Amino acid sequence: MLIFPTIADLRAYLRTQRAQGKSVGFVPTMGALHEGHLSLIEASNAQNDLTVCSIFVNPIQFNNPDDLARYPRTLEADCELLQTVGCDAVFAPSVQEMYPEKSLLTFDFGDLERVMEGKFRPGHFNGVGVVVSKLFNIVQPDRTYFGQKDLQQVGVVRRMMIDLGFQIELHPRPTLREADGLAMSSRNRNLTPDERSLAPHIYAGLSAAKASLLEGRFPAEVKGWMKTHFAQQPAFRLEYFEIVNAFSLQDVTELQPQGQTALCIAAHLGKVRLIDNIVF
């Protein structure tokens, strides 16, 4: 496995590989990798001759400086993990390499970014749009892989790819969970042992909400129940719980066709902000 800190060296390597007719899969990450990330690498390996993984903690998608400072940075351990699943190349640039000058470009994703994550993290999806478009231009992959845990991010990236005409196949992959249901996340490692024992309440709440909807209860009723559920869990601070169309991400008043209803949640547990969703 090769590690590239510069854009020029990665591009030179990829030109050589493409000259040999190799297809390229790409997995963009911010590091602190876990089994969910590794599943994306494995999906890419299955469909491409070559897999590239980027590791870059993108500062312009953080609206909270403390959140940026706390984000784990474990490049050496990440590279060891990537090697075990057959990743071919790692792109690990510095902030200066990615942003030699302050980025002036701004993205506006309309209604896609005015809800949920975009509502509570202003500027977040502009930062996502800027960095993902830069990475796509640098790597120029045939296919790219994102985890469904970040459902809104997938929607924003899909919209960006359509609007900018990227000739790249987007492959969202299912959320991987711990044995107790907690969605795998780089932020989980910041939980204290007591917080980690409480964290599965998020998935338990989502599962109960899904069951209620399937039993015929209306979304407004289920949203009220979820607020009560978390009010009884004082360790949590519920930021939002929304029942939306999985593609438009807009509120719905009834169940959508199969595969198009999404239950999306964000909650603070101690100093850690956790997100999760169920799509059905």
Side-chain angles (χ1 to χ4, degrees), residues 9 33 45 80 96 115 131 163 185 196 214 221 232 250:
D9 286 348
L33 303 184
N45 287 344
E80 290 176 1
Q96 178 65 25
V115 297
V131 77
D163 287 356
S185 170
R196 176 62 187 82
L214 292 174
E221 182 183 359
Q232 296 169 350
Q250 302 306 297

Side-chain angles (χ1 to χ4, degrees), residues 9-264:
D9 286 348
L10 177 65
R11 280 176 165 162
Y13 165 74
L14 291 173
R15 277 196 299 271
T16 301
Q17 299 302 308
R18 286 196 189 88
Q20 300 172 30
K22 293 184 178 180
S23 60
V24 177
F26 177 47
V27 179
T29 82
M30 293 204 301
L33 303 184
H34 51 70
E35 290 295 328
H37 294 110
L38 300 186
S39 74
L40 302 180
I41 300 295
E42 291 167 344
S44 176
N45 287 344
Q47 294 184 305
N48 302 280
D49 301 312
L50 185 75
T51 294
V52 178
C53 177
S54 64
I55 298 176
F56 178 64
V57 181
N58 178 36
I60 69 170
Q61 71 185 65
F62 287 82
N63 63 316
N64 183 336
D66 292 337
D67 196 19
L68 173 61
R70 281 195 301 268
Y71 199 89
R73 292 159 172 84
T74 55
L75 179 60
E76 185 175 345
D78 291 342
C79 288
E80 290 176 1
L81 280 175
L82 289 172
Q83 194 141 18
T84 66
V85 290
C87 183
D88 298 285
V90 176
F91 178 45
S94 65
V95 173
Q96 178 65 25
E97 181 72 10
M98 287 296 287
Y99 300 112
E101 298 180 10
K102 182 179 178 180
S103 177
L104 300 180
L105 180 67
T106 57
F107 284 86
D108 184 339
F109 294 101
D111 289 343
L112 274 178
E113 69 166 287
R114 311 226 196 283
V115 297
M116 299 188 298
E117 293 299 287
K119 179 179 179 180
F120 287 92
R121 301 176 68 187
H124 171 67
F125 286 117
N126 174 66
V128 170
V130 170
V131 77
V132 173
S133 60
K134 285 175 73 81
L135 289 168
F136 282 174
N137 278 319
I138 292 164
V139 179
Q140 298 183 12
D142 298 284
R143 301 172 186 88
T144 188
Y145 302 81
F146 286 78
Q148 188 174 274
K149 185 178 77 68
D150 296 299
L151 182 69
Q152 193 169 5
Q153 177 175 269
V154 171
V156 162
V157 170
R158 181 185 291 113
R159 186 73 252 172
M160 183 196 74
M161 293 171 71
I162 292 169
D163 287 356
L164 297 183
F166 281 108
Q167 296 295 300
I168 302 169
E169 293 178 16
L170 174 62
H171 292 265
R173 302 293 299 173
T175 301
L176 290 196
R177 300 185 178 279
E178 305 290 354
D180 57 10
L182 178 64
M184 292 185 180
S185 170
S186 302
R187 297 172 189 268
N188 292 349
R189 66 184 69 195
N190 290 332
L191 296 168
T192 67
D194 286 345
E195 290 166 352
R196 176 62 187 82
S197 70
L198 294 172
H201 281 296
I202 293 176
Y203 183 61
L206 287 175
S207 299
K210 174 185 174 181
S212 292
L213 287 166
L214 292 174
E215 288 169 2
R217 292 183 174 86
F218 289 106
E221 182 183 359
V222 174
K223 288 173 73 171
W225 174 86
M226 184 68 92
K227 289 180 181 178
T228 301
H229 172 75
F230 275 93
Q232 296 169 350
Q233 305 290 336
F236 290 90
R237 179 168 65 83
L238 181 65
E239 192 165 86
Y240 66 76
F241 170 66
E242 302 293 347
I243 302 174
V244 301
N245 178 278
F247 295 98
S248 73
L249 303 181
Q250 302 306 297
D251 284 348
V252 297
T253 56
E254 59 185 13
L255 277 182
Q256 303 295 284
Q258 186 173 359
Q260 295 183 37
T261 301
L263 311 183
C264 302

